[in-house]
Amino acid sequence: MILEGLVTTCSSLGTVNLAPMGPIVNVEMTEFLFRPFKTSTTYQNLKAHPEGVFHVTDDVLLIARGAIGKIDVLPDVVEAVSISGVRLADCCQSFEFRIEHFNEEEDRTVLTARIIARKEHRPFFGFNRAKHAVLEAAILATRLHLLPREQVLAEYEKYQVIVEKTAGAREFEAFDLLKDYVGARD
């Protein structure tokens, strides 16, 4: 099963990177398989420093911003407990991990991570159709190099109806941000 969330990693100089990521997780949540592209900052950071934190969050505006590279200011973070790194101060759950195996045979690597520490920080908001629509829209925004823009925009039209019916202010803002991003792309 794939679990969508955000990952914090640190460069060899200690610079924090925040990126959306959807690792494959086992039912026990003891091991994650990350599949970053070799060109990504997340991959480069994990290669240099094979530890990080995976965050479960219901903040789709932050996920949307991360998906299109619009995180101008890093949200508040606190030191991780069991690894050298940071976690988001506002998240539902955090999973501190250490990469145990790098499979780099393809452009999209497979990194096997063992969970070192897990903590619940606040309740998950719950299921909301607008949040899910924004999440899907964010994922599609990261696939513009693989999919025709017209196909992505057609999906956005479907998501627009859901957002209009069920969104709060942050979901509207996130969806508008993504629509503007996809609409401006060639």
Side-chain angles (χ1 to χ4, degrees), residues 10-85:
C10 295
S11 73
S12 58
L13 300 175
T15 304
V16 176
N17 183 62
L18 176 64
M21 182 83 41
I24 298 170
V25 301
N26 64 1
V27 175
E28 299 83 18
M29 303 290 279
T30 57
E31 184 177 274
F32 291 175
L33 294 178
F34 292 101
R35 299 169 298 144
F37 289 100
K38 289 179 184 175
T39 56
S40 72
T41 302
T42 299
Y43 170 78
Q44 298 298 323
N45 285 356
L46 289 172
K47 190 72 174 165
H49 176 74
E51 296 179 328
V53 181
F54 179 78
H55 307 83
V56 173
T57 183
D58 49 16
D59 185 349
V60 293
L61 179 55
L62 185 57
I63 291 171
R65 286 182 175 149
I68 61 172
K70 296 286 185 187
I71 298 178
D72 299 322
V73 177
L74 190 67
D76 291 340
V77 296
V78 297
E79 291 297 318
V81 176
S82 301
I83 62 150
S84 177

Side-chain angles (χ1 to χ4, degrees), residues 33-40 43 102-111:
L33 294 178
F34 292 101
R35 299 169 298 144
F37 289 100
K38 289 179 184 175
T39 56
S40 72
Y43 170 78
F102 286 81
N103 179 344
E104 301 171 296
E105 294 175 8
E106 303 293 327
D107 285 339
R108 192 160 185 187
T109 61
V110 178
L111 311 179

